[in-house]
Amino acid sequence: MESIAALIFSLLVLGSVVFLLRGRGLREKYAFLWLFVGMACLVLTAIPGMLRGISSLIGVQVPSNLLFAMGIIFLTGVALHLSWEVSVLEEEARTLSEETAIGRARLEELERKVEALSSAASNASRTPATPELHGHQPADSP
């Protein structure tokens, strides 16, 4: 009964990974890792004496202790890797927000300059031209 439950679990893990890959819910770099876990579970289920043999080879008294230890090591590695990924993404988000703020400030500055030039151009077009005197120069005031 235990081996049937383990077999079902292994097949569920493999099926879930394939389903998530097809639906683009899981990236390929993580899929390999989870496919490896699913295949390892499947192999340990298919060959029940393998875990006992590995346990005795390593010197672990109870095979399930080896399985739990390997699981803890694996999950610690996954948590460490995901922490690293989050750190990288936080740095990228910070950089992008800084670049956006700089771009927004430049845009506002350009909008102010365009508005100033537009108002100067509209003021220049509204002021009437001074009439020219036919060949006469205005008299200089003393």
Side-chain angles (χ1 to χ4, degrees):
M1 185 65 176
E2 294 167 2
S3 61
I4 293 173
L7 179 65
I8 290 172
F9 174 75
S10 301
L11 292 174
L12 281 175
V13 168
L14 289 172
S16 298
V17 170
V18 170
F19 177 75
L20 288 172
L21 266 175
R22 290 181 55 116
R24 300 280 185 212
L26 184 65
R27 292 179 43 197
E28 289 82 11
K29 73 179 188 178
Y30 300 116
F32 176 74
L33 182 66
W34 292 110
L35 285 172
F36 176 76
V37 168
M39 292 302 291
C41 289
L42 195 61
V43 167
L44 289 175
T45 302
I47 309 169
M50 180 180 258
L51 186 59
R52 278 189 289 273
I54 295 171
S55 296
S56 65
L57 182 69
I58 294 175
V60 177
Q61 296 289 326
V62 182
S64 60
N65 288 348
L66 176 63
L67 194 59
F68 287 129
M70 296 303 288
I72 289 170
I73 291 169
F74 172 75
L75 291 176
T76 301
V78 168
L80 183 63
H81 175 73
L82 292 178
S83 297
W84 174 75
E85 290 269 347
V86 167
S87 298
V88 169
L89 291 175
E90 283 179 349
E91 183 65 26
E92 286 179 14
R94 186 186 61 78
T95 302
L96 288 173
S97 63
E98 288 174 355
E99 290 174 358
T100 301
I102 291 169
R104 187 176 295 133
R106 287 181 180 170
L107 178 65
E108 289 171 358
E109 180 183 340
L110 288 174
E111 286 174 342
R112 282 193 301 272
K113 286 181 180 180
V114 166
E115 189 175 311
L117 287 174
S118 294
S119 61
S122 67
N123 287 341
S125 67
R126 279 193 228 147
T127 57
T130 56
E132 289 186 23
L133 300 173
H134 296 279
H136 296 353
Q137 295 291 335
D140 289 339
S141 31

